[in-house]
Amino acid sequence: MPCPSQSSDELVFFVNRKKVTEKNVDPEVTLLAFLRKNLRLTGTKYACGTGGCGACTVMVSQHDPVSKKTRHVSVTACLVPLCSLHGAAVTTVEGVGSVSTRLHPVQERIAKSHGTQCGFCTPGMVMSMYTLLRNHPQPSEEQLMEALGGNLCRCTGYRPILESGRTFCLEPNGCQQKGPGKCCLDQKEDDSLGGKNDICTELFVKEEFRPLDPTQELIFPPELLRMAENPEKQTLTFSGERITWISPGTLQDLLALKAKYPEAPLVSGNTSLGPAMKSQGHFHPILLSPAGIPDLRVVTKNSDGLTILAESISELPEEKTQTYRALLKHLRSLAGQQIRNMASLGGHIISRHCYSDLNPILSVGNATLNLLSEEGTRQIPLNGHFLAGLASADLKPEEILGSVYIPHSQKWEFVSAFRQAQCRQNALPDVNAGMRVRFREGTDTIEDLSIAYGGVGPTTISAHESCQQLLGRHWNALMLDEACRRLLDEVSLPGSAPGGKVEFKRTLMVSFLFKFYLEVLQELKKRKIKLSSESADSQRRPGIEARLLSALEDFQVTLPQGVQTYQRVDPRQPLQDPVGRPIMHLSGLKHATGEAVFCDDIPRVDKELFMALVTSTRAHAKIISIDSSEVLALPGVVDVITAEDIPGTNGDEEDKLLAVDEVLCVGQIICAVVAETDVQAKRATEKMKITYEDLNPVIFTIEDAIKHNSFLCPEKKLEQGNIEEAFGNVDQIVEGEVHVGGQEHFYMETQRVLVIPKTEDKELDMYVSTQDPAHVQKTVSSTLNIPSNKITCHVKRVGGGFGGKVGKPAVFGAIAAVGAVKTGRPIRLVLDREDDMLVTGGRHPLFGKYKVGFMNSGRIKALDIECYVNGGCTLDDSELVTEFLILKLENAYKIRNLRFRGRACMTNLPSNTAFRGFGFPQGALITESCITAVAARCGLPPEKIREKNMYKTVDKTIYKQAFSPEPLIRCWNQCLDHSSFHIRRTEVEEFNRKSYWKKRGIAIIPMKFSVGFAATSYHQAAALVHIYTDGSVLVAHGGNELGQGIHTKMLQVASRELKIPMSHMHICETSTAVVPNTIATAASIGSDVNGRAVQNACQILLKRLEPVIKKNPEGTWKDWIETAFEQRISLSATGYFRGYKAFMDWEKQEGDPFPYYVYGAACSEVEIDCLTGAHKKIRSDIVMDACCSLNPAIDVGQIEGAFIQGMGLYTTEELHYSPEGVLYSRSPEEYKIPTVTDVPEQFNVALLPSSQTPLTIYSSKGLGESGMFLGSSVFFAIADAVAAARRERDLAEDFAVHSPATPERVRMACADRFTDMIPRDDPKTFKPWSIPIA
């Protein structure tokens, strides 16, 4: 090796103050794998593996010998190669604080602010905030939002997490709900709230938090300090099984290595190469790391530019910094902070991704690349030729990028950057652009023009020809029109372009140009340039009047504010009675310290093997052969599990565990590989040879299913009144269509199971992440043909479920159990995020048609709705979802003549399954769309139509179940009042009059949500309570802790019943060996029914203790228990609840299918950008009928989390399938759940006070799912804003509703001259990139 320095293969770094010395490190091992497997630090979680979710965030500290400062950065451990950490100090959540030693204020506050639910994302949140505080002990609110922008949470809705972070911020803003300095709580006495003293707005007490003391933080290890100050300039070499990593100590060494290994890529942050090697199969035998070379990290400046962007822009005059400002603007929204911390500018440029946010700006900014090699230096321009990868304009194989030179902008030069993505932060752009214009001094004559786009081709595209044609032109409307036409001609995007959204992308190209045109025009006006355009413009449009300038303002990211109101407990309630109080989640502190153990955190057991699944690559095909011979010969592979290995039943006839003879979708499980390590198992799956013969028909869409009469079950139907006659007696009839896309559960913890076979009696211990351990037990029993009493399923906690862990875990558990029995060894199966999203299915996409008849007053007389859901290839829960959808379609409205029909379509896609809301969020969207359509036709606001048609008095539903709508009306009125709806409706209209390119919308939505399963047997529950002789109590019940706080609530119930503090009590886990025959924790009733069972057990015990207490009323609890034991009184009791009565007769179309209803209302206001389709959520107010909340903190958390998840369903979460039925959206990069920046700027939740229901435990209600649909208030607010834009443009009302309301749909609905000018392709002339399955 031509290296002047000596070679070394010892890696030295620190983890949580402890020195780690590793020899022979495998370059393919990531920091995450090392922490979890080698050091057993399992607080750092594996959730996506591509750096997109932040669950594996840790802090890396390195000392810079030049500045003499230690730099602390948050990074995603799943992307950090272990080899890159030489001389670094790593801090994980375990190193920050612990429940058993000392909690850090960050950990304490996130837990006590109720910022944890399932807790799987919490360690990553803690580490992002901890790193922020190490750098800024009193951060600004903007810095807090930036720090958490790369962390996803699926449970909480983010508000309480941000609330905990706000307590550290320098100047937390007051509540701004009623204008500057006024708080929404300083309002006049409000009868609807009840007396002021009854209402509480604090869910935690800030004053109890321990202060942050920066002097107490860990110091940087002195040994690493010495290593940094006196570098040995040595080259480190690490050779693994397949890859060699070389980290040279000097620039000369690097150049020599690059000459020797010209094909070897340079790895800096691994943010591009890492995901490509993991998911796209890219492979490089040699990797070179420049991390130890300070020459490549410096910033130099001269009189006319910077050699990289790092200088404080404020040091330079504004006219010189235009390019730098444009770059900074995009850097703020490029990925999450962890990725930005790891990535390098050079890596970003050289990767030349089509979606690059910086290359378009650098290209138009005339940046130059300074290249280095052993032969010397040379410069090449970062221009269209370089970006296109032309050999003449590219790096030679032996060259590296040494630095980037970015010239200053000039006085008469303007540079801007634009981007539009699915959501505001941490999302790859659909289209981005860099634009620069230079004018002849003192004029509006174009001297130089440069425009570059990302997202519209295989790489960044430069519109060189169009720009040349426009030189010498005046900056006016005629120039703009010509420029748009030329750009659309030059930058042509084929209809089949990867990524789809072709018409949207074309529109964005010219919309961005228009924004740039206005920006520059505004600047020229400020400089008082005589514009040749003024006369022409005034004829075409009224100049750039204020209402057009709204196009220039970008939506700013602000830290959400909010108030949560709930009813105080009765002042007479004993202090030790916790019911009704905002008690912290039992595991909250353990979530925050990483000590909460999830399924895959269980230490490896002796002789444990790993399993990986082999799935179908065809949508509908006959399996000709499965050849595993090559796989079985691979090192570490122990066995391949196929359907032939199943000793019992292989699922059922229609839904096999492992495919036999035929596959019905891409992603169907065919077999599984079992190996010594997870890496060996996953690699082996790629070598499996399966031969297929394609079959017909292949059906993906609902439209095709209807055409082929392909259905999974009979039609479900409900009808009342005389629908045909009613349609004959109305003033108007409207018909419309509603399309609702599917939704991925995106629980943070993917599906996982650990199966441990016992040595005798064929017993199995199973640790599963499931909502239904009894179903897993039953499935494994039939699969292995052994009785259920030999299979014990344990569930400690689940990292999010949302319905996706009701049925599917049984499949994975059964396959893993077959592997365990066949090999006689424990099996661990952990799904990658890509496989989880591919295999498991999600929410049913829906297509609905409605016909509504109404009077001119807005009174609806007749409604006919026909629904079709895309069920996928097997039945799963599709029949039940269809039934629930039909039962819940009427929502809050009393309409005399109704007909609801529903079918579940059978398609060649993975089976869709249970999902929070169970059909209601899709179905009720049709009903509310009808209301909006009626309002538009009547010329009335939608809220008036809602009020007119709402249930008003005690009545019966379409299925003849009686109920009182009184709480519904109270929620509605209180929401109108709390949100100041009518005042804000007027303000929205006023705003829209003054603004052409930005529009606001406001909507208020009522909700009647039915809770529970439509069958009595599914409402039963059991519990087991033990009292030990030391007075401590162990509670077990049939519910599973999914993050919804069920264990916390159960101990609150037991504490009240036994009249002892919660600190005396413990819940260990949910186990089928302790409480048998349990029902799935689902349908919002887990706390209801299990609470009744725990109550029953406690009452039995207390009754037994009564004589003892009577004899010694002054005794302590411990005295009574000791006496009871001596008197041979049983201190263990089984509690049982037989369940709520529930039934439905579909023949008679009547029944009482639901125990009770939850009522609510939500009002949301949004602002949309008509040019890009982006939106911001200004405010959301929710009022929910919780009756007497068992725990207001947990219940508010459930409402907020469900609302944000629903908002995701209706705005950003979009599944894309290829024309061959392959799911494209298989990672957080491609599938966008809401982030911290998606939370409404004001987010208020109120629990309706003074509400009672005698049916449930302590008059509480189950609130797990109901908030989901209220997220549609954001959807209808967006629709309201779009309608305002369309009215102003004299466009017809569009009654075809498409959810989600993505930027693409919003932009294309706000049709204007830019959407009119783009070329449109005939769908018959090309094969689309993706197909709409709803």
Side-chain angles (χ1 to χ4, degrees):
M1 188 179 295
C3 296
S5 311
Q6 69 183 74
S7 177
S8 158
D9 61 356
E10 186 170 83
L11 181 70
V12 177
F13 64 107
F14 276 66
V15 176
N16 300 337
R17 293 171 303 230
K18 291 180 183 166
K19 184 176 179 180
V20 178
T21 306
E22 284 288 311
K23 290 199 169 186
N24 306 317
V25 178
D26 187 338
E28 293 185 78
V29 172
T30 62
L31 172 59
L32 177 62
F34 185 79
L35 291 173
R36 291 184 62 81
K37 293 175 190 171
N38 297 50
L39 302 185
R40 293 296 316 143
L41 295 172
T42 55
T44 309
K45 303 298 180 206
Y46 170 69
C48 78
T50 55
C53 74
C56 64
T57 301
V58 297
M59 184 176 84
V60 172
S61 307
Q62 285 176 309
H63 186 72
D64 180 7
V66 180
S67 66
K68 306 286 185 195
K69 288 180 181 171
T70 301
R71 182 170 175 252
H72 306 291
V73 295
S74 56
V75 301
T76 46
C78 67
L79 288 184
V80 176
L82 194 64
C83 300
S84 68
L85 292 170
H86 189 70
V90 176
T91 306
T92 72
V93 70
E94 292 92 344
V96 172
S98 158
V99 171
S100 53
T101 54
R102 173 182 158 274
L103 286 169
H104 190 277
V106 170
Q107 295 167 319
E108 178 200 30
R109 294 187 195 187
I110 198 170
K112 290 184 178 174
S113 303
H114 314 289
T116 84
Q117 285 186 23
C118 85
F120 202 81
C121 74
T122 310
M125 295 283 181
V126 165
M127 291 314 300
S128 288
M129 277 201 264
Y130 175 75
T131 310
L132 171 68
L133 295 175
R134 288 300 301 266
N135 293 313
H136 307 281
Q138 284 189 302
S140 68
E141 293 185 347
E142 187 184 358
Q143 286 171 326
L144 174 65
M145 289 292 279
E146 206 170 288
L148 293 175
N151 291 76
L152 298 181
C153 171
R154 195 54 155 164
C155 295
T156 63
Y158 299 104
R159 198 269 319 154
I161 297 170
L162 293 167
E163 203 66 46
S164 73
R166 192 200 300 272
T167 62
F168 295 104
C169 286
L170 190 57
E171 293 169 4
N173 292 331
C175 167
Q176 298 296 310
Q177 279 196 217
K178 292 179 72 181
K182 290 183 184 174
C183 177
C184 58
L185 296 177
D186 301 334
Q187 49 198 335
K188 63 182 186 297
E189 279 292 330
D190 185 346
D191 294 335
S192 71
L193 276 173
K196 269 290 176 196
N197 295 336
D198 294 348
I199 299 301
C200 190
T201 59
E202 275 195 346
L203 291 171
F204 59 90
V205 184
K206 294 185 183 74
E207 291 69 31
E208 290 178 2
F209 294 152
R210 69 187 72 190
L212 174 71
D213 183 355
T215 64
Q216 298 303 300
E217 302 296 4
L218 308 176
I219 61 165
F220 189 71
E223 183 179 342
L224 296 184
L225 208 60
R226 289 193 295 275
M227 280 172 62
E229 293 291 348
N230 306 297
E232 296 173 27
K233 295 270 195 284
Q234 62 179 357
T235 292
L236 295 167
T237 305
F238 305 105
S239 296
E241 191 186 321
R242 309 191 305 162
I243 291 176
T244 299
W245 174 287
I246 309 173
S247 182
T250 67
L251 185 56
Q252 289 72 29
D253 291 355
L254 176 61
L255 296 177
L257 284 164
K258 191 67 175 126
K260 183 174 183 184
Y261 305 111
E263 298 305 313
L266 268 63
V267 182
S268 183
N270 203 40
T271 55
S272 178
L273 197 65
M277 289 177 77
K278 179 182 186 294
S279 305
Q280 295 156 33
H282 291 204
F283 178 73
H284 304 277
I286 306 280
L287 298 175
L288 303 179
S289 166
I293 303 170
D295 313 40
L296 296 177
R297 291 203 300 269
V298 296
V299 179
T300 57
K301 39 193 149 165
N302 58 29
S303 59
D304 50 44
L306 286 183
T307 307
I308 202 175
L309 177 82
E311 180 174 14
S312 168
I313 280 178
S314 56
E315 292 176 19
L316 289 166
E318 189 175 340
E319 66 188 42
K320 290 189 172 186
T321 62
Q322 298 247 346
T323 309
Y324 311 147
R325 285 172 193 275
L327 284 166
L328 272 185
K329 176 185 163 185
H330 273 196
L331 276 168
R332 286 193 187 100
S333 55
L334 189 152
Q337 189 165 68
Q338 297 94 320
I339 300 294
R340 292 197 294 273
N341 288 336
M342 296 160 67
S344 67
L345 180 64
H348 184 94
I349 291 168
I350 296 297
S351 298
R352 284 177 279 211
H353 292 300
C354 63
Y355 50 77
S356 163
D357 272 314
L358 305 184
N359 282 346
I361 307 166
L362 293 167
S363 171
V364 301
N366 292 326
T368 305
L369 305 181
N370 298 316
L371 309 180
L372 308 174
S373 69
E374 279 195 305
E375 292 171 13
T377 62
R378 73 181 181 107
Q379 284 75 38
I380 60 170
L382 196 164
N383 59 15
H385 295 313
F386 164 77
L387 293 168
L390 296 182
S392 57
D394 206 350
L395 284 76
K396 294 171 185 168
E398 68 277 8
E399 287 180 324
I400 67 163
L401 174 59
S403 61
V404 186
Y405 168 71
I406 310 165
H408 290 159
S409 49
Q410 298 169 29
K411 185 175 182 183
W412 292 96
E413 194 167 45
F414 303 96
V415 184
S416 285
F418 306 93
R419 85 190 296 270
Q420 181 55 48
Q422 189 82 340
C423 52
R424 286 162 77 179
Q425 268 203 333
N426 198 15
L428 296 174
D430 292 317
V431 178
N432 56 25
M435 299 185 183
R436 179 183 60 83
V437 64
R438 191 174 72 245
F439 295 104
R440 196 172 301 146
E441 191 164 341
T443 72
D444 69 348
T445 305
I446 300 169
E447 200 169 71
D448 192 19
L449 180 64
S450 189
I451 297 172
Y453 290 107
V456 293
T459 183
T460 301
I461 304 289
S462 185
H464 182 68
E465 284 179 32
S466 301
C467 293
Q468 287 300 304
Q469 296 289 330
L470 295 166
L471 298 183
R473 301 291 303 275
H474 292 293
W475 196 256
N476 59 24
L478 294 172
M479 181 283 303
L480 174 66
D481 286 346
E482 185 185 339
C484 289
R485 282 198 309 278
R486 289 187 179 280
L487 276 172
L488 288 168
D489 282 345
E490 184 178 355
V491 185
S492 63
L493 196 59
S496 58
K501 307 182 186 181
V502 170
E503 291 181 0
F504 174 51
K505 290 180 176 183
R506 289 170 181 159
T507 305
L508 284 179
M509 283 164 49
V510 288
S511 298
F512 287 162
L513 180 62
F514 176 64
K515 280 185 173 246
F516 184 55
Y517 165 76
L518 285 183
E519 262 181 38
V520 173
L521 205 56
Q522 186 72 348
E523 286 299 319
L524 291 173
K525 284 200 169 209
K526 278 185 195 167
R527 297 189 190 188
K528 300 195 166 45
I529 300 301
K530 172 76 178 110
L531 297 174
S532 56
S533 61
E534 278 175 0
S535 58
D537 258 4
S538 56
Q539 286 160 17
R540 295 175 63 85
R541 290 190 310 281
I544 27 175
E545 52 182 300
R547 61 198 301 271
L548 296 181
L549 289 177
S550 60
L552 303 182
E553 297 151 21
D554 285 327
F555 292 139
Q556 299 304 309
V557 171
T558 56
L559 186 66
Q561 314 260 3
V563 181
Q564 302 77 46
T565 55
Y566 62 95
Q567 193 161 4
R568 289 183 198 277
V569 297
D570 189 310
R572 292 162 299 184
Q573 182 173 316
L575 276 174
Q576 75 168 24
D577 180 352
V579 170
R581 303 185 197 276
I583 306 289
M584 178 180 67
H585 194 294
L586 278 184
S587 297
L589 293 172
K590 288 184 284 184
H591 290 155
T593 60
E595 291 165 283
V597 177
F598 290 85
C599 184
D600 191 38
D601 298 338
I602 298 167
R604 281 200 68 170
V605 292
D606 189 35
K607 297 181 180 174
E608 182 183 303
L609 298 172
F610 291 84
M611 178 178 271
L613 304 176
V614 178
T615 58
S616 165
T617 56
R618 303 291 178 86
H620 189 196
K622 189 176 173 185
I623 300 173
I624 303 298
S625 66
I626 301 173
D627 180 3
S628 57
S629 53
E630 190 181 342
V631 170
L632 290 167
L634 290 171
V637 173
V638 174
D639 212 336
V640 172
I641 308 300
T642 66
E644 290 171 5
D645 297 310
I646 295 174
T649 56
N650 180 15
D652 59 47
E653 200 51 46
E654 301 299 320
D655 194 357
K656 303 286 187 195
L657 295 174
L658 294 172
V660 180
D661 301 331
E662 187 181 357
V663 288
L664 298 173
C665 69
V666 174
Q668 185 171 349
I669 305 167
I670 296 174
C671 56
V673 176
V674 175
E676 296 288 347
T677 71
D678 56 338
V679 174
Q680 289 169 334
K682 283 168 193 167
R683 276 195 201 140
T685 61
E686 295 161 17
K687 302 290 185 187
M688 188 69 72
K689 289 190 171 70
I690 299 172
T691 316
Y692 303 95
E693 183 186 296
D694 287 332
L695 297 172
N696 284 316
V698 182
I699 299 168
F700 300 127
T701 68
I702 290 175
E703 189 184 348
D704 282 350
I706 296 168
K707 219 179 277 176
H708 286 87
N709 201 28
S710 176
F711 298 108
L712 290 162
C713 56
E715 181 182 76
K716 303 295 171 182
K717 183 178 176 181
L718 289 177
E719 193 166 350
Q720 77 175 17
N722 188 326
I723 192 101
E724 304 305 339
E725 187 182 307
F727 275 123
N729 296 319
V730 293
D731 294 336
Q732 297 190 62
I733 292 174
V734 170
E735 295 186 49
E737 291 184 355
V738 177
H739 302 261
V740 186
Q743 187 179 24
E744 162 60 33
H745 297 93
F746 212 96
Y747 27 67
M748 294 302 291
E749 178 197 34
T750 57
Q751 301 274 358
R752 40 197 73 179
V753 57
L754 172 62
V755 184
I756 304 173
K758 299 284 191 72
T759 51
E760 53 185 311
D761 297 329
K762 295 185 177 177
E763 284 185 292
L764 285 181
D765 255 344
M766 300 185 65
Y767 297 85
V768 201
S769 180
T770 181
Q771 294 172 242
D772 194 352
H775 178 52
V776 177
Q777 179 191 40
K778 192 175 171 185
T779 306
V780 172
S781 167
S782 67
T783 305
L784 298 180
N785 201 19
I786 58 174
S788 293
N789 61 4
K790 294 186 178 180
I791 300 157
T792 304
C793 287
H794 306 262
V795 181
K796 182 81 173 173
R797 57 177 61 83
V798 176
F802 317 115
K805 291 181 180 172
V806 175
K808 300 293 182 185
V811 174
F812 304 116
I815 295 169
V818 172
V821 168
K822 188 181 180 190
T823 60
R825 293 168 66 177
I827 296 277
R828 190 181 297 251
L829 171 59
V830 177
L831 260 59
D832 276 349
R833 178 65 62 186
E834 293 96 324
D835 290 337
D836 191 298
M837 292 182 78
L838 178 70
V839 170
T840 58
R843 187 183 297 284
H844 291 71
L846 172 143
F847 166 60
K849 294 189 286 189
Y850 67 81
K851 180 181 176 183
V852 57
F854 52 97
M855 309 309 287
N856 290 333
S857 64
R859 164 71 67 193
I860 297 172
K861 294 290 188 181
L863 177 59
D864 187 3
I865 296 178
E866 197 172 4
C867 298
Y868 298 91
V869 296
N870 194 326
C873 61
T874 62
L875 183 60
D876 201 284
D877 279 330
S878 294
E879 186 165 13
L880 276 175
V881 167
T882 309
E883 289 180 358
F884 275 49
L885 191 153
I886 296 301
L887 288 167
K888 300 182 181 201
L889 259 180
E890 66 174 18
N891 192 20
Y893 307 109
K894 178 65 181 177
I895 298 164
R896 299 279 169 206
N897 304 286
L898 290 170
R899 180 165 60 209
F900 297 155
R901 289 167 291 173
R903 301 284 318 246
C905 298
M906 179 175 169
T907 60
N908 294 111
L909 295 173
S911 295
N912 287 309
T913 188
F915 201 134
R916 195 180 207 167
F918 212 71
F920 180 66
Q922 303 99 297
L925 198 76
I926 307 175
T927 311
E928 295 300 334
S929 298
C930 289
I931 299 281
T932 310
V934 170
R937 274 292 169 86
C938 294
L940 293 167
E943 59 274 11
K944 292 288 178 219
I945 308 297
R946 291 190 167 100
E947 277 179 351
K948 196 175 280 286
N949 291 285
M950 219 181 281
Y951 277 102
K952 301 289 193 310
T953 56
V954 174
D955 211 323
K956 287 188 175 182
T957 64
I958 185 174
Y959 43 88
K960 316 292 189 295
Q961 182 165 348
F963 78 103
S964 166
E966 188 255 347
L968 168 68
I969 294 157
R970 285 186 60 209
C971 285
W972 175 261
N973 289 334
Q974 191 165 311
C975 191
L976 283 170
D977 184 49
H978 276 201
S979 64
S980 310
F981 180 84
H982 295 297
I983 294 168
R984 283 168 55 217
R985 164 66 81 192
T986 308
E987 289 169 352
V988 162
E989 288 165 1
E990 184 59 25
F991 175 90
N992 289 343
R993 267 193 295 277
K994 293 178 178 175
S995 170
Y996 187 80
W997 293 111
K998 294 267 188 357
K999 293 293 178 191
R1000 287 189 178 172
I1002 190 167
I1004 181 167
I1005 303 291
M1007 178 195 68
K1008 170 174 68 71
F1009 182 81
S1010 42
V1011 167
F1013 301 97
T1016 304
S1017 62
Y1018 277 76
H1019 293 145
Q1020 61 183 302
L1024 182 60
V1025 178
H1026 300 314
I1027 305 174
Y1028 294 92
T1029 51
D1030 64 354
S1032 65
V1033 176
L1034 181 67
V1035 177
H1037 61 92
N1040 301 283
E1041 180 56 70
L1042 317 169
Q1044 85 284 37
I1046 192 169
H1047 288 349
T1048 311
K1049 287 183 172 181
M1050 292 309 95
L1051 290 197
Q1052 287 178 273
V1053 170
S1055 173
R1056 167 175 278 191
E1057 293 298 332
L1058 295 176
K1059 301 179 179 61
I1060 59 170
M1062 285 174 71
S1063 57
H1064 286 43
M1065 302 175 168
H1066 178 60
I1067 290 181
C1068 177
E1069 64 175 8
T1070 305
S1071 165
T1072 54
V1074 178
V1075 179
N1077 311 320
T1078 55
I1079 303 299
T1081 305
S1084 303
I1085 59 156
S1087 295
D1088 278 22
V1089 296
N1090 288 289
R1092 291 287 287 268
V1094 169
Q1095 180 187 40
N1096 179 235
C1098 292
Q1099 287 173 349
I1100 291 167
L1101 287 166
L1102 215 53
K1103 190 129 187 85
R1104 291 177 192 164
L1105 291 170
E1106 254 175 30
V1108 175
I1109 298 168
K1110 266 187 190 164
K1111 268 190 183 172
N1112 180 14
E1114 301 303 313
T1116 64
W1117 172 255
K1118 198 175 175 195
D1119 295 339
W1120 298 333
I1121 298 307
E1122 283 175 352
T1123 305
F1125 178 73
E1126 284 162 13
Q1127 293 182 9
R1128 304 187 312 284
I1129 294 171
S1130 169
L1131 294 172
S1132 177
T1134 298
Y1136 190 65
F1137 176 57
R1138 291 196 67 194
Y1140 306 119
K1141 283 201 169 73
F1143 69 94
M1144 180 65 200
D1145 186 329
W1146 283 95
E1147 288 293 314
K1148 293 180 181 172
Q1149 298 189 17
E1150 62 181 59
D1152 275 8
F1154 305 111
Y1156 63 88
Y1157 298 97
V1158 169
Y1159 307 97
C1163 169
S1164 290
E1165 182 184 350
V1166 302
E1167 186 176 322
I1168 65 168
D1169 183 334
C1170 300
L1171 282 166
T1172 64
H1175 74 270
K1176 75 168 177 178
K1177 299 156 196 86
I1178 296 169
R1179 178 171 167 182
S1180 289
D1181 294 85
I1182 301 170
V1183 178
M1184 191 73 88
D1185 161 41
C1187 279
C1188 300
S1189 170
L1190 291 177
N1191 185 324
I1194 284 174
D1195 285 344
V1196 165
Q1198 286 292 290
I1199 293 163
E1200 290 175 334
F1203 178 88
I1204 297 294
Q1205 197 175 56
M1207 201 181 73
L1209 165 69
Y1210 299 121
T1211 59
T1212 60
E1213 298 184 38
E1214 193 172 25
L1215 292 166
H1216 292 289
Y1217 288 88
S1218 78
E1220 292 74 39
V1222 181
L1223 178 66
Y1224 287 130
S1225 334
R1226 298 212 295 267
S1227 73
E1229 286 73 38
E1230 292 130 359
Y1231 184 78
K1232 303 317 293 185
I1233 71 169
T1235 68
V1236 286
T1237 55
D1238 292 302
V1239 182
E1241 290 174 6
Q1242 285 181 26
F1243 192 20
N1244 306 312
V1245 177
L1247 302 184
L1248 191 71
S1250 313
S1251 178
Q1252 296 284 325
T1253 172
L1255 186 69
T1256 57
I1257 178 106
Y1258 309 142
S1259 206
S1260 64
K1261 283 190 175 183
L1263 297 170
E1265 300 172 279
S1266 47
M1268 188 94 198
F1269 175 64
L1270 293 181
S1272 71
S1273 60
V1274 173
F1275 178 88
F1276 286 107
I1278 292 171
D1280 187 49
V1282 169
R1286 289 181 68 87
R1287 277 195 300 274
E1288 189 168 40
R1289 291 153 174 74
D1290 292 325
L1291 297 164
E1293 279 291 335
D1294 184 5
F1295 295 122
V1297 175
H1298 291 268
S1299 169
T1302 58
E1304 176 189 13
R1305 292 206 171 105
V1306 172
R1307 175 63 188 102
M1308 300 316 286
C1310 295
D1312 52 35
R1313 63 193 180 110
F1314 301 114
T1315 55
D1316 290 345
M1317 70 169 60
I1318 63 161
R1320 310 265 174 163
D1321 301 303
D1322 180 349
K1324 297 187 185 81
T1325 61
F1326 66 92
K1327 183 180 179 182
W1329 174 76
S1330 72
I1331 53 171
I1333 59 165

